[in-house]
Amino acid sequence: MAIDTRGVLAIIAGLLMTVALLTARREERLLGTWIMMMAFAVATLWSVLSIVWAQSNPSPLTPRLWITMATMAAAATVYFGYMGLHGEGLGE
């Protein structure tokens, strides 16, 4: 079974989120915030690809729900980017 691009992006996003949380637990909260921002940027790409994929393949979610997920991931990217720019670390 081969992993497609969406699968690779999902794995990368999940790994980055895990690394961000572990980094924040080791008192490097600002670095954890930036890594979390990158994780949600990858999750946004995954969601956008899922929107396109759901339009031509059977999917458990409708394209409209995928758009909602992409919007939430993009909002989280902006949120964590804003936190990082203002020097606020994860969990502060």
Side-chain angles (χ1 to χ4, degrees):
M1 179 174 89
I3 296 179
D4 60 348
T5 305
R6 288 177 48 242
V8 171
L9 288 175
I11 291 169
I12 291 171
L15 288 174
L16 282 172
M17 287 178 187
T18 303
V19 168
L21 292 175
L22 292 175
T23 302
R25 295 264 313 173
R26 289 194 291 163
E27 300 301 324
E28 297 175 17
R29 297 181 190 279
L30 186 58
L31 179 60
T33 300
W34 285 112
I35 295 171
M36 189 65 80
M37 187 210 64
M38 291 183 338
F40 275 106
V42 173
T44 302
L45 291 173
W46 172 79
S47 296
V48 169
L49 285 178
S50 296
I51 294 167
V52 175
W53 183 80
Q55 291 175 351
S56 59
N57 295 299
S59 173
L61 300 178
T62 64
R64 184 175 178 176
L65 289 174
W66 285 115
I67 291 170
T68 302
M69 287 181 63
T71 304
M72 291 183 340
T77 302
V78 171
Y79 173 74
F80 284 108
Y82 181 82
M83 281 180 59
L85 284 175
H86 290 282
E88 297 178 31
L90 243 143
E92 289 181 354

